[in-house]
Amino acid sequence: MDVTVRELMELFVQSPLVTWVKSLSPVASGNDDNLYMHLVDGILLNQVMLEIDPRPNQRFHQHVNNDVNLRIENLTILVRHIKTFYQEVLQQWIVMSLPDVLMIGKDLLSAKSMEEMKKMLVLMLGCAVQCDRKGEFIEKIQQLDIETQAGIMAHIREVTHHQESLFDLQWLEVPDMALEELQSLSRNMAFHLRRLVDERDSCRELIVTLTLERDTSSRPSEDTQHLAVELANTKARLRGVRKELEKKTEQLVDTRHEVDQLLLELQEAHRDNMELAASAQSARVALSELDSLREKASRVERLEREAMGLRQTQKDVDFYAARMKELIEDNYTLMDTKGILQEQLTVARSRIDKLYELEDDNMQLKSKLRHLQLTQYTDQKHLEELREENLALKAAQGQSVEESGHLRWELEQLCFLKLDKEKQSLQGTIQGLRDAALTLQESSLLHRELEKENQQLSKQGV
């Protein structure tokens, strides 16, 4: 196989259209050569077309075995099925040239045959996205990669948005059409009619050529049979083209007649429109004056509503002004009360500071008391030692009882005076501590009361 042909086949098999067919059938998952043969044999494509349109149709050959005639018959059945679906289900005529099944069947590895196969797949794609199961087919397309989806969408637009490919029959049921649409439709029909005439002439020339070849050549019986099949197919196509040409010629004549009738009606409507425009001009002046009066009346009503709203707003403003004045006076009163309480709080804080000082003095006095108690204990102990020394002196020196009694008396007098003085001092200290404790308690109560009043003032100020 030539390298160029293989490259063309690889490009065709990797195209978005073939990728779409591969997503519909597991049979199309083989290598590129087998896949291409499956496509041109028509078996796989007829199966896909039955999924698109399951209505009863002519049976196709399940096994081709590289037979050219069987391949052409399968492709012919496929083209007929596609054409019938467009006409009967979608109400559309295929005005583009149909795929050349003879070229595909005989010269299946040429670039022209691959172009004809591409045309076949594009028509099948148009059937799939417009049939009853279009949701399923579109969902499978959306599962493909983005680049493939973009290519498929471009092919869909070829058969759904281009009037050069299909002719919509539903416009015949539209009762009223715009003049621009009728003119565009007439131009398209003239274009298709001219192309059909050219195809008719080409088919006639082909018939003459084939007839001459049949009469002047001596071919084997197999070639003669193939030629007979080609001639029969060509004649069938020619008859179909002739019928379509006659139908479209009749429709074109009817359409031109309808366009002329619509032009006359349009001229009458234009004259009526001019008369209505003159009447509307005079009525427009009266309507403008009436609209002006209505606008003035609505403006007066709106101004009255706004005035009532402003009066109510004035009452609200007076009420809120009086209320604001009362609040300002209450605020001044609260500020004065707050100043008095702050002064009382300052006095209380000074008392508390003094109380802290008294507590310090109390601690110092308690320390002194402990020191005096320790001194008293020391003096008592010293007194005992003196008593023991006195007894020892009495025994050792044998002094007289008189001197010893005199010394004892003086010693007891001294001790008594010292203890009496310390007792008086301790009593005065205890009394001072009691007075300080009472003062501390009173200051603490006053401090709590001041704190409560301060908190209440703070809340009122807020």
Side-chain angles (χ1 to χ4, degrees), residues 134-169:
K134 60 184 178 181
E136 300 178 15
F137 291 104
I138 293 174
E139 183 178 358
K140 289 184 178 180
I141 293 174
Q142 292 174 348
Q143 295 174 358
L144 303 175
D145 59 86
I146 300 299
E147 185 177 357
T148 304
Q149 290 185 38
I152 292 174
M153 290 303 298
H155 292 304
I156 291 174
R157 284 192 290 271
E158 292 179 14
V159 291
T160 57
H161 293 77
H162 294 174
Q163 296 183 356
E164 293 81 4
S165 302
L166 298 171
F167 185 77
D168 194 353
L169 299 177

mmCIF file of all heavy atoms in Angstrom, residues 134-169:
data_model
loop_
_atom_site.group_PDB
_atom_site.id
_atom_site.type_symbol
_atom_site.label_atom_id
_atom_site.label_comp_id
_atom_site.label_asym_id
_atom_site.label_seq_id
_atom_site.Cartn_x
_atom_site.Cartn_y
_atom_site.Cartn_z
ATOM 1 N N LYS A 134 -31.826 11.763 20.564
ATOM 2 C CA LYS A 134 -30.721 12.713 20.417
ATOM 3 C C LYS A 134 -30.021 12.990 21.750
ATOM 4 O O LYS A 134 -28.828 13.278 21.780
ATOM 5 C CB LYS A 134 -31.229 14.017 19.812
ATOM 6 C CG LYS A 134 -32.304 14.716 20.656
ATOM 7 C CD LYS A 134 -32.820 15.954 19.937
ATOM 8 C CE LYS A 134 -33.935 16.621 20.744
ATOM 9 N NZ LYS A 134 -34.459 17.817 20.044
ATOM 10 N N GLY A 135 -30.762 12.901 22.878
ATOM 11 C CA GLY A 135 -30.130 13.123 24.179
ATOM 12 C C GLY A 135 -29.015 12.126 24.445
ATOM 13 O O GLY A 135 -27.940 12.489 24.945
ATOM 14 N N GLU A 136 -29.245 10.852 24.102
ATOM 15 C CA GLU A 136 -28.216 9.830 24.319
ATOM 16 C C GLU A 136 -26.999 10.071 23.431
ATOM 17 O O GLU A 136 -25.845 9.974 23.882
ATOM 18 C CB GLU A 136 -28.804 8.440 24.029
ATOM 19 C CG GLU A 136 -30.002 8.082 24.914
ATOM 20 C CD GLU A 136 -30.569 6.731 24.553
ATOM 21 O OE1 GLU A 136 -29.877 5.970 23.844
ATOM 22 O OE2 GLU A 136 -31.696 6.412 24.979
ATOM 23 N N PHE A 137 -27.247 10.408 22.151
ATOM 24 C CA PHE A 137 -26.120 10.634 21.241
ATOM 25 C C PHE A 137 -25.321 11.877 21.644
ATOM 26 O O PHE A 137 -24.086 11.885 21.585
ATOM 27 C CB PHE A 137 -26.632 10.765 19.811
ATOM 28 C CG PHE A 137 -27.164 9.484 19.240
ATOM 29 C CD1 PHE A 137 -28.523 9.262 19.108
ATOM 30 C CD2 PHE A 137 -26.301 8.473 18.840
ATOM 31 C CE1 PHE A 137 -29.016 8.078 18.592
ATOM 32 C CE2 PHE A 137 -26.778 7.282 18.315
ATOM 33 C CZ PHE A 137 -28.134 7.079 18.201
ATOM 34 N N ILE A 138 -26.028 12.934 22.061
ATOM 35 C CA ILE A 138 -25.321 14.153 22.478
ATOM 36 C C ILE A 138 -24.513 13.893 23.739
ATOM 37 O O ILE A 138 -23.397 14.398 23.918
ATOM 38 C CB ILE A 138 -26.334 15.301 22.679
ATOM 39 C CG1 ILE A 138 -26.956 15.690 21.329
ATOM 40 C CG2 ILE A 138 -25.673 16.508 23.334
ATOM 41 C CD1 ILE A 138 -28.063 16.715 21.432
ATOM 42 N N GLU A 139 -25.061 13.089 24.658
ATOM 43 C CA GLU A 139 -24.320 12.755 25.884
ATOM 44 C C GLU A 139 -23.026 12.004 25.563
ATOM 45 O O GLU A 139 -21.980 12.256 26.170
ATOM 46 C CB GLU A 139 -25.210 11.932 26.807
ATOM 47 C CG GLU A 139 -24.560 11.602 28.147
ATOM 48 C CD GLU A 139 -25.484 10.820 29.058
ATOM 49 O OE1 GLU A 139 -26.649 10.578 28.648
ATOM 50 O OE2 GLU A 139 -25.053 10.459 30.167
ATOM 51 N N LYS A 140 -23.085 11.089 24.601
ATOM 52 C CA LYS A 140 -21.860 10.366 24.210
ATOM 53 C C LYS A 140 -20.851 11.301 23.554
ATOM 54 O O LYS A 140 -19.636 11.147 23.734
ATOM 55 C CB LYS A 140 -22.217 9.222 23.266
ATOM 56 C CG LYS A 140 -22.952 8.077 23.957
ATOM 57 C CD LYS A 140 -23.202 6.916 23.012
ATOM 58 C CE LYS A 140 -23.900 5.764 23.731
ATOM 59 N NZ LYS A 140 -24.152 4.609 22.842
ATOM 60 N N ILE A 141 -21.335 12.277 22.794
ATOM 61 C CA ILE A 141 -20.427 13.258 22.190
ATOM 62 C C ILE A 141 -19.742 14.085 23.278
ATOM 63 O O ILE A 141 -18.543 14.382 23.205
ATOM 64 C CB ILE A 141 -21.204 14.161 21.214
ATOM 65 C CG1 ILE A 141 -21.674 13.348 20.008
ATOM 66 C CG2 ILE A 141 -20.336 15.340 20.756
ATOM 67 C CD1 ILE A 141 -22.581 14.124 19.067
ATOM 68 N N GLN A 142 -20.491 14.434 24.312
ATOM 69 C CA GLN A 142 -19.920 15.231 25.397
ATOM 70 C C GLN A 142 -18.885 14.469 26.209
ATOM 71 O O GLN A 142 -18.090 15.083 26.931
ATOM 72 C CB GLN A 142 -21.040 15.724 26.322
ATOM 73 C CG GLN A 142 -21.953 16.744 25.667
ATOM 74 C CD GLN A 142 -23.126 17.118 26.544
ATOM 75 O OE1 GLN A 142 -23.402 16.460 27.561
ATOM 76 N NE2 GLN A 142 -23.834 18.171 26.183
ATOM 77 N N GLN A 143 -18.869 13.160 26.120
ATOM 78 C CA GLN A 143 -17.870 12.360 26.824
ATOM 79 C C GLN A 143 -16.539 12.310 26.099
ATOM 80 O O GLN A 143 -15.546 11.825 26.655
ATOM 81 C CB GLN A 143 -18.398 10.938 27.038
ATOM 82 C CG GLN A 143 -19.604 10.861 27.967
ATOM 83 C CD GLN A 143 -20.183 9.469 28.050
ATOM 84 O OE1 GLN A 143 -19.707 8.544 27.390
ATOM 85 N NE2 GLN A 143 -21.223 9.292 28.855
ATOM 86 N N LEU A 144 -16.486 12.792 24.853
ATOM 87 C CA LEU A 144 -15.244 12.811 24.095
ATOM 88 C C LEU A 144 -14.394 14.003 24.512
ATOM 89 O O LEU A 144 -14.842 14.892 25.254
ATOM 90 C CB LEU A 144 -15.552 12.872 22.593
ATOM 91 C CG LEU A 144 -16.431 11.719 22.050
ATOM 92 C CD1 LEU A 144 -16.762 11.965 20.587
ATOM 93 C CD2 LEU A 144 -15.722 10.376 22.216
ATOM 94 N N ASP A 145 -13.137 14.045 24.037
ATOM 95 C CA ASP A 145 -12.265 15.163 24.412
ATOM 96 C C ASP A 145 -12.737 16.445 23.735
ATOM 97 O O ASP A 145 -13.523 16.434 22.793
ATOM 98 C CB ASP A 145 -10.809 14.850 24.026
ATOM 99 C CG ASP A 145 -10.661 14.589 22.527
ATOM 100 O OD1 ASP A 145 -10.496 15.548 21.774
ATOM 101 O OD2 ASP A 145 -10.736 13.411 22.130
ATOM 102 N N ILE A 146 -12.230 17.594 24.249
ATOM 103 C CA ILE A 146 -12.717 18.910 23.821
ATOM 104 C C ILE A 146 -12.449 19.141 22.331
ATOM 105 O O ILE A 146 -13.314 19.659 21.606
ATOM 106 C CB ILE A 146 -12.053 20.007 24.661
ATOM 107 C CG1 ILE A 146 -12.381 19.803 26.154
ATOM 108 C CG2 ILE A 146 -12.522 21.382 24.211
ATOM 109 C CD1 ILE A 146 -13.842 19.866 26.471
ATOM 110 N N GLU A 147 -11.272 18.766 21.863
ATOM 111 C CA GLU A 147 -10.939 18.997 20.457
ATOM 112 C C GLU A 147 -11.863 18.212 19.532
ATOM 113 O O GLU A 147 -12.336 18.721 18.508
ATOM 114 C CB GLU A 147 -9.480 18.605 20.215
ATOM 115 C CG GLU A 147 -8.982 18.918 18.817
ATOM 116 C CD GLU A 147 -7.514 18.588 18.650
ATOM 117 O OE1 GLU A 147 -6.866 18.165 19.652
ATOM 118 O OE2 GLU A 147 -6.999 18.732 17.527
ATOM 119 N N THR A 148 -12.146 16.961 19.895
ATOM 120 C CA THR A 148 -13.062 16.154 19.091
ATOM 121 C C THR A 148 -14.469 16.735 19.106
ATOM 122 O O THR A 148 -15.158 16.768 18.078
ATOM 123 C CB THR A 148 -13.073 14.708 19.610
ATOM 124 O OG1 THR A 148 -11.732 14.185 19.606
ATOM 125 C CG2 THR A 148 -13.951 13.824 18.744
ATOM 126 N N GLN A 149 -14.924 17.205 20.284
ATOM 127 C CA GLN A 149 -16.244 17.825 20.376
ATOM 128 C C GLN A 149 -16.346 19.050 19.469
ATOM 129 O O GLN A 149 -17.366 19.267 18.799
ATOM 130 C CB GLN A 149 -16.531 18.228 21.821
ATOM 131 C CG GLN A 149 -16.751 17.062 22.770
ATOM 132 C CD GLN A 149 -17.138 17.525 24.154
ATOM 133 O OE1 GLN A 149 -17.877 18.489 24.327
ATOM 134 N NE2 GLN A 149 -16.632 16.846 25.170
ATOM 135 N N ALA A 150 -15.280 19.864 19.441
ATOM 136 C CA ALA A 150 -15.302 21.053 18.588
ATOM 137 C C ALA A 150 -15.423 20.670 17.118
ATOM 138 O O ALA A 150 -16.187 21.289 16.353
ATOM 139 C CB ALA A 150 -14.036 21.876 18.823
ATOM 140 N N GLY A 151 -14.676 19.643 16.687
ATOM 141 C CA GLY A 151 -14.788 19.194 15.302
ATOM 142 C C GLY A 151 -16.166 18.669 14.972
ATOM 143 O O GLY A 151 -16.717 18.940 13.892
ATOM 144 N N ILE A 152 -16.769 17.910 15.901
ATOM 145 C CA ILE A 152 -18.119 17.366 15.669
ATOM 146 C C ILE A 152 -19.149 18.489 15.588
ATOM 147 O O ILE A 152 -20.062 18.472 14.757
ATOM 148 C CB ILE A 152 -18.468 16.353 16.770
ATOM 149 C CG1 ILE A 152 -17.571 15.107 16.642
ATOM 150 C CG2 ILE A 152 -19.936 15.955 16.705
ATOM 151 C CD1 ILE A 152 -17.745 14.118 17.768
ATOM 152 N N MET A 153 -19.022 19.509 16.442
ATOM 153 C CA MET A 153 -19.959 20.632 16.407
ATOM 154 C C MET A 153 -19.880 21.370 15.068
ATOM 155 O O MET A 153 -20.904 21.823 14.536
ATOM 156 C CB MET A 153 -19.654 21.591 17.556
ATOM 157 C CG MET A 153 -20.005 21.039 18.937
ATOM 158 S SD MET A 153 -21.743 20.575 19.047
ATOM 159 C CE MET A 153 -22.530 22.169 18.773
ATOM 160 N N ALA A 154 -18.663 21.500 14.522
ATOM 161 C CA ALA A 154 -18.532 22.144 13.210
ATOM 162 C C ALA A 154 -19.268 21.345 12.141
ATOM 163 O O ALA A 154 -19.943 21.917 11.266
ATOM 164 C CB ALA A 154 -17.052 22.299 12.862
ATOM 165 N N HIS A 155 -19.175 20.016 12.183
ATOM 166 C CA HIS A 155 -19.890 19.181 11.216
ATOM 167 C C HIS A 155 -21.397 19.250 11.422
ATOM 168 O O HIS A 155 -22.169 19.192 10.436
ATOM 169 C CB HIS A 155 -19.408 17.734 11.315
ATOM 170 C CG HIS A 155 -17.999 17.537 10.852
ATOM 171 N ND1 HIS A 155 -17.564 17.907 9.601
ATOM 172 C CD2 HIS A 155 -16.904 17.005 11.483
ATOM 173 C CE1 HIS A 155 -16.285 17.617 9.464
ATOM 174 N NE2 HIS A 155 -15.850 17.069 10.592
ATOM 175 N N ILE A 156 -21.837 19.362 12.679
ATOM 176 C CA ILE A 156 -23.283 19.474 12.934
ATOM 177 C C ILE A 156 -23.837 20.753 12.313
ATOM 178 O O ILE A 156 -24.932 20.770 11.734
ATOM 179 C CB ILE A 156 -23.556 19.422 14.451
ATOM 180 C CG1 ILE A 156 -23.255 18.020 15.001
ATOM 181 C CG2 ILE A 156 -25.007 19.798 14.754
ATOM 182 C CD1 ILE A 156 -23.369 17.916 16.505
ATOM 183 N N ARG A 157 -23.067 21.838 12.411
ATOM 184 C CA ARG A 157 -23.523 23.099 11.809
ATOM 185 C C ARG A 157 -23.622 22.992 10.285
ATOM 186 O O ARG A 157 -24.402 23.710 9.659
ATOM 187 C CB ARG A 157 -22.570 24.231 12.199
ATOM 188 C CG ARG A 157 -22.760 24.708 13.632
ATOM 189 C CD ARG A 157 -22.012 26.000 13.873
ATOM 190 N NE ARG A 157 -20.568 25.792 13.879
ATOM 191 C CZ ARG A 157 -19.861 25.483 14.962
ATOM 192 N NH1 ARG A 157 -20.479 25.367 16.129
ATOM 193 N NH2 ARG A 157 -18.564 25.317 14.909
ATOM 194 N N GLU A 158 -22.851 22.098 9.673
ATOM 195 C CA GLU A 158 -22.923 21.936 8.216
ATOM 196 C C GLU A 158 -24.298 21.455 7.767
ATOM 197 O O GLU A 158 -24.756 21.803 6.671
ATOM 198 C CB GLU A 158 -21.858 20.945 7.748
ATOM 199 C CG GLU A 158 -20.429 21.444 7.898
ATOM 200 C CD GLU A 158 -19.428 20.403 7.428
ATOM 201 O OE1 GLU A 158 -19.844 19.443 6.752
ATOM 202 O OE2 GLU A 158 -18.236 20.541 7.742
ATOM 203 N N VAL A 159 -24.975 20.652 8.600
ATOM 204 C CA VAL A 159 -26.263 20.077 8.204
ATOM 205 C C VAL A 159 -27.442 20.685 8.943
ATOM 206 O O VAL A 159 -28.588 20.290 8.697
ATOM 207 C CB VAL A 159 -26.259 18.547 8.425
ATOM 208 C CG1 VAL A 159 -25.335 17.871 7.464
ATOM 209 C CG2 VAL A 159 -25.882 18.200 9.860
ATOM 210 N N THR A 160 -27.199 21.617 9.844
ATOM 211 C CA THR A 160 -28.320 22.233 10.579
ATOM 212 C C THR A 160 -28.435 23.731 10.344
ATOM 213 O O THR A 160 -29.507 24.301 10.567
ATOM 214 C CB THR A 160 -28.176 21.983 12.088
ATOM 215 O OG1 THR A 160 -26.905 22.500 12.546
ATOM 216 C CG2 THR A 160 -28.282 20.511 12.419
ATOM 217 N N HIS A 161 -27.366 24.382 9.906
ATOM 218 C CA HIS A 161 -27.395 25.830 9.734
ATOM 219 C C HIS A 161 -27.113 26.272 8.298
ATOM 220 O O HIS A 161 -27.263 27.455 7.991
ATOM 221 C CB HIS A 161 -26.372 26.497 10.658
ATOM 222 C CG HIS A 161 -26.690 26.363 12.107
ATOM 223 N ND1 HIS A 161 -26.473 25.210 12.819
ATOM 224 C CD2 HIS A 161 -27.228 27.241 12.993
ATOM 225 C CE1 HIS A 161 -26.842 25.378 14.069
ATOM 226 N NE2 HIS A 161 -27.311 26.602 14.200
ATOM 227 N N HIS A 162 -26.688 25.385 7.445
ATOM 228 C CA HIS A 162 -26.374 25.764 6.069
ATOM 229 C C HIS A 162 -27.504 25.324 5.141
ATOM 230 O O HIS A 162 -27.781 24.120 5.016
ATOM 231 C CB HIS A 162 -25.053 25.117 5.628
ATOM 232 C CG HIS A 162 -23.876 25.645 6.399
ATOM 233 N ND1 HIS A 162 -22.609 25.135 6.261
ATOM 234 C CD2 HIS A 162 -23.788 26.642 7.310
ATOM 235 C CE1 HIS A 162 -21.778 25.780 7.069
ATOM 236 N NE2 HIS A 162 -22.479 26.689 7.710
ATOM 237 N N GLN A 163 -28.158 26.278 4.493
ATOM 238 C CA GLN A 163 -29.240 25.944 3.571
ATOM 239 C C GLN A 163 -28.727 25.366 2.273
ATOM 240 O O GLN A 163 -29.506 24.893 1.448
ATOM 241 C CB GLN A 163 -30.070 27.198 3.283
ATOM 242 C CG GLN A 163 -30.776 27.748 4.514
ATOM 243 C CD GLN A 163 -31.641 28.947 4.198
ATOM 244 O OE1 GLN A 163 -31.657 29.411 3.064
ATOM 245 N NE2 GLN A 163 -32.361 29.434 5.185
ATOM 246 N N GLU A 164 -27.409 25.421 2.041
ATOM 247 C CA GLU A 164 -26.850 24.801 0.857
ATOM 248 C C GLU A 164 -26.859 23.281 0.957
ATOM 249 O O GLU A 164 -26.722 22.579 -0.059
ATOM 250 C CB GLU A 164 -25.405 25.273 0.603
ATOM 251 C CG GLU A 164 -25.288 26.736 0.229
ATOM 252 C CD GLU A 164 -25.346 27.635 1.453
ATOM 253 O OE1 GLU A 164 -25.396 27.061 2.568
ATOM 254 O OE2 GLU A 164 -25.342 28.865 1.307
ATOM 255 N N SER A 165 -26.993 22.755 2.178
ATOM 256 C CA SER A 165 -26.968 21.304 2.371
ATOM 257 C C SER A 165 -28.364 20.708 2.454
ATOM 258 O O SER A 165 -28.643 19.661 1.867
ATOM 259 C CB SER A 165 -26.184 20.965 3.649
ATOM 260 O OG SER A 165 -24.868 21.470 3.585
ATOM 261 N N LEU A 166 -29.249 21.371 3.198
ATOM 262 C CA LEU A 166 -30.600 20.847 3.414
ATOM 263 C C LEU A 166 -31.620 21.928 3.121
ATOM 264 O O LEU A 166 -31.332 23.135 3.245
ATOM 265 C CB LEU A 166 -30.760 20.348 4.855
ATOM 266 C CG LEU A 166 -29.856 19.197 5.291
ATOM 267 C CD1 LEU A 166 -29.977 18.985 6.788
ATOM 268 C CD2 LEU A 166 -30.231 17.930 4.543
ATOM 269 N N PHE A 167 -32.819 21.510 2.763
ATOM 270 C CA PHE A 167 -33.921 22.433 2.496
ATOM 271 C C PHE A 167 -35.070 22.071 3.427
ATOM 272 O O PHE A 167 -35.600 20.953 3.369
ATOM 273 C CB PHE A 167 -34.356 22.345 1.033
ATOM 274 C CG PHE A 167 -35.403 23.355 0.662
ATOM 275 C CD1 PHE A 167 -35.076 24.679 0.453
ATOM 276 C CD2 PHE A 167 -36.726 22.966 0.532
ATOM 277 C CE1 PHE A 167 -36.042 25.597 0.113
ATOM 278 C CE2 PHE A 167 -37.696 23.896 0.200
ATOM 279 C CZ PHE A 167 -37.358 25.215 -0.012
ATOM 280 N N ASP A 168 -35.469 23.012 4.275
ATOM 281 C CA ASP A 168 -36.490 22.759 5.290
ATOM 282 C C ASP A 168 -37.873 22.867 4.641
ATOM 283 O O ASP A 168 -38.224 23.903 4.048
ATOM 284 C CB ASP A 168 -36.347 23.757 6.428
ATOM 285 C CG ASP A 168 -37.152 23.334 7.647
ATOM 286 O OD1 ASP A 168 -37.905 22.349 7.535
ATOM 287 O OD2 ASP A 168 -37.033 23.988 8.696
ATOM 288 N N LEU A 169 -38.667 21.796 4.747
ATOM 289 C CA LEU A 169 -40.019 21.782 4.180
ATOM 290 C C LEU A 169 -41.055 22.378 5.118
ATOM 291 O O LEU A 169 -42.210 22.566 4.713
ATOM 292 C CB LEU A 169 -40.416 20.340 3.833
ATOM 293 C CG LEU A 169 -39.547 19.627 2.791
ATOM 294 C CD1 LEU A 169 -40.011 18.201 2.622
ATOM 295 C CD2 LEU A 169 -39.571 20.367 1.471
#
